[in-house]
Amino acid sequence: MRTDSSPGTLPAREHLPATAAGTPVLDVVVPVYNEEKDLRRCVLRLREHLARTFPYAFRVTIADNASTDGTPLIAAELAARYPEVASVRLERKGRGRALRTVWSASDAPVLAYMDVDLSTDLNALLPLVAPLISGHSDLAIGSRLSRTSRVVRGPKREFISRAYNLILRGSLQARFSDAQCGFKAIRREVAQVLLPLVEDTGWFFDTEMLVLAERAGLRIHEVPVDWVDDPDSTVHLVRTATDDLKGVWRVGRALTTGSLPLDRLARPFGDDPRDRDITDVPKGLARQLVGFCVVGGLSTLFYLLLYSAFRQFGGSQFANALALLLSALANTAANRRLTFGVRGRGGAVRHQAQGLVVFAIGLALTSGSLAALNAATSSPAHTTEIAVLVVANLAATVLRFLLFRAWVFPDRDRRDPAPVPSPTPAHTEPATIATGDPR
């Protein structure tokens, strides 16, 4: 997997302004390989639809993946005849390679692609790119699996598509509904960040891009589409499915080992409302409460197990003190990393020392509760001791969170890391580009 550095901040999403004549807002890439039969019909139909319905300047780019038939000649002819059409010739095959090459070089702020067979109804194109133009979303995909989609295809393709998306959900925790639909769009500045991280150059390219985008917290817009299967499709289903499964394994392993720097994209844009400094609203309070409760629940279980074990060898006060000490050390370490996001070894000793002070306060609460119980009953039952300790620990937990947030891990210890340098430009394949006159 690529581990190129990626910038931690992108420009705030803004509605794209109407541009001057000749500057395309949308660049629709059509990857092709030996498509001399359908290429002319596809490009002319797409161009006519955009000219009639799209309110901005546009470009249709034919990305030829080393075709050996008449595809390059037809692409060059269309580019020479129509100002809105461009042609790119690559000497190596791969849909992902074609998209990476054209998207990396394009000057359009919104980049899209669709399959040459035009299986997807073109009426979904404007709804696809509108959220990207308005600045609402970062990527957009067409979905054949939406309840409102109208799809005509055979049972074999239907089974493969649904099984593949179930695999993505089960193995990579993907939440988007349709990874394989050849109908997607992305904002250019987002592509510049994601493309260096995507390794695949074939059919798995856009799936990998979507998984990384979702893990990075980017916003993905889904559009239900009307889709009719192309019975003459040249896609080799078995080989493509095998390559996709290999890609799922590779990406899953990279996400598990943390070899991808996706944490640097946790706040990819500068307009996230959760990042705004709002008076009287503690920053990140809700997330910290959830993390603290999870860690606290596990710590309490750990404490009770330790107490029950130590109680077999000593009195209640001894068992309580030792169990609370060990669980407090584990609790401080877990909250430091998971709840308050403090990383590295800097200040770890100080945090543990402060955590021990908090532990002492909790010890006073729980020990005082046990003392009060023993004063009330000379020989309390073990279950009664446990019940009293649970109540005392709940009170100590609330106080522990307040002390952790305000004293042990204040905001100054949770500052964002220094800006990450811009990425090395993604490698792109050499290509020959032919375009018509500016629109």
Side-chain angles (χ1 to χ4, degrees):
M1 294 295 295
R2 285 184 172 84
T3 56
D4 311 48
S5 297
S6 298
T9 303
L10 289 175
R13 302 183 190 97
E14 294 180 354
H15 192 297
L16 298 175
T19 57
T23 304
V25 167
L26 173 65
D27 193 348
V28 184
V29 181
V30 182
V32 292
Y33 172 71
N34 289 347
E35 298 286 356
E36 61 179 3
K37 177 182 176 182
D38 298 324
L39 179 58
R40 188 187 306 275
R41 173 182 59 84
C42 163
V43 172
L44 293 181
R45 181 181 166 194
L46 177 58
R47 172 187 171 275
E48 187 276 333
H49 176 83
L50 288 170
R52 179 169 48 86
T53 64
F54 193 67
Y56 295 90
F58 65 88
R59 180 193 299 128
V60 177
T61 301
I62 305 168
D64 175 28
N65 296 142
S67 295
T68 57
D69 62 358
T71 297
L73 296 177
I74 297 175
E77 175 191 342
L78 292 170
R81 182 173 181 182
Y82 298 102
E84 307 88 359
V85 178
S87 173
V88 177
R89 167 73 178 182
L90 288 88
E91 299 303 330
R92 299 174 64 189
K93 292 178 60 177
R95 182 181 69 170
R97 179 177 289 110
L99 293 177
R100 182 195 306 280
T101 300
V102 177
W103 282 357
S104 297
S106 180
D107 59 347
V110 176
L111 311 169
Y113 95 88
M114 61 189 312
D115 294 333
V116 69
D117 56 17
L118 294 184
S119 296
T120 305
D121 185 1
L122 291 178
N123 286 326
L125 184 54
L126 185 56
L128 181 79
V129 301
L132 308 186
I133 294 174
S134 70
H136 176 270
S137 299
D138 310 312
L139 299 90
I141 65 173
S143 175
R144 299 163 298 182
L145 302 182
S146 170
R147 292 183 178 180
T148 57
S149 297
R150 300 180 180 91
V151 177
V152 179
R153 60 177 167 181
K156 182 171 71 172
R157 282 182 174 267
E158 180 75 14
F159 172 78
I160 291 175
S161 179
R162 291 190 179 274
Y164 179 63
N165 282 282
L166 285 176
I167 291 173
L168 290 181
R169 288 177 177 268
S171 59
L172 301 179
Q173 288 77 52
R175 295 188 298 274
F176 48 84
S177 65
D178 191 353
Q180 293 178 311
C181 183
F183 194 67
K184 297 181 176 69
I186 184 172
R187 285 176 69 104
R188 182 181 61 189
E189 67 268 26
V190 178
Q192 290 172 347
V193 173
L194 283 180
L195 291 183
L197 303 179
V198 180
E199 181 175 336
D200 192 80
T201 58
W203 291 96
F204 188 69
F205 170 86
D206 43 351
T207 298
E208 183 174 354
M209 181 180 66
L210 286 174
V211 170
L212 300 185
E214 189 173 72
R215 288 298 185 94
L218 295 172
R219 181 173 290 169
I220 301 175
H221 175 73
E222 295 198 20
V223 177
V225 297
D226 297 341
W227 194 86
V228 179
D229 190 15
D230 178 14
D232 298 324
S233 174
T234 59
V235 178
H236 194 288
L237 293 180
V238 176
R239 183 172 63 245
T240 300
T242 302
D243 292 341
D244 285 348
L245 291 177
K246 291 179 181 178
V248 170
W249 169 259
R250 174 176 52 80
V251 172
R253 183 176 58 185
L255 293 173
T256 301
T257 59
S259 61
L260 288 168
L262 295 182
D263 57 324
R264 298 172 183 174
L265 301 178
R267 286 292 186 269
F269 286 93
D271 63 339
D272 195 310
R274 293 169 296 179
D275 292 333
R276 296 174 187 169
D277 188 12
I278 303 176
T279 304
D280 297 330
V281 178
K283 195 172 183 179
L285 177 59
R287 180 188 61 78
Q288 291 174 1
L289 278 173
V290 172
F292 184 81
C293 288
V294 171
V295 173
L298 295 176
S299 298
T300 300
L301 179 61
F302 182 52
Y303 161 78
L304 293 175
L305 292 175
L306 290 176
Y307 177 82
S308 298
F310 295 149
R311 189 67 174 85
Q312 305 299 320
F313 309 102
S316 60
Q317 293 288 3
F318 166 79
N320 174 63
L322 188 56
L324 193 59
L325 173 62
L326 294 178
S327 62
L329 292 175
N331 181 276
T332 300
N335 277 307
R336 182 179 188 271
R337 176 65 178 85
L338 302 177
T339 303
F340 298 98
V342 180
R343 304 179 182 181
R345 298 182 179 179
V349 175
R350 173 173 58 85
H351 292 152
Q352 282 292 354
Q354 292 173 310
L356 289 177
V357 175
V358 178
F359 151 74
I361 297 175
L363 178 62
L365 284 174
T366 53
S367 297
S369 300
L370 284 175
L373 177 63
N374 290 327
T377 305
S378 59
S379 184
H382 180 67
T383 54
T384 304
E385 288 183 349
I386 295 294
V388 169
L389 288 174
V390 167
V391 174
N393 268 284
L394 288 176
T397 297
V398 175
L399 181 60
R400 185 183 303 121
F401 176 77
L402 296 176
L403 290 174
F404 272 175
R405 181 178 175 84
W407 180 49
V408 183
F409 307 112
D411 286 338
R412 64 175 178 272
D413 287 351
R414 305 194 299 270
R415 289 175 182 170
D416 295 333
V420 179
S422 298
T424 303
H427 173 70
T428 56
E429 298 292 327
T432 303
I433 302 177
T435 61
D437 296 331
R439 187 181 178 192

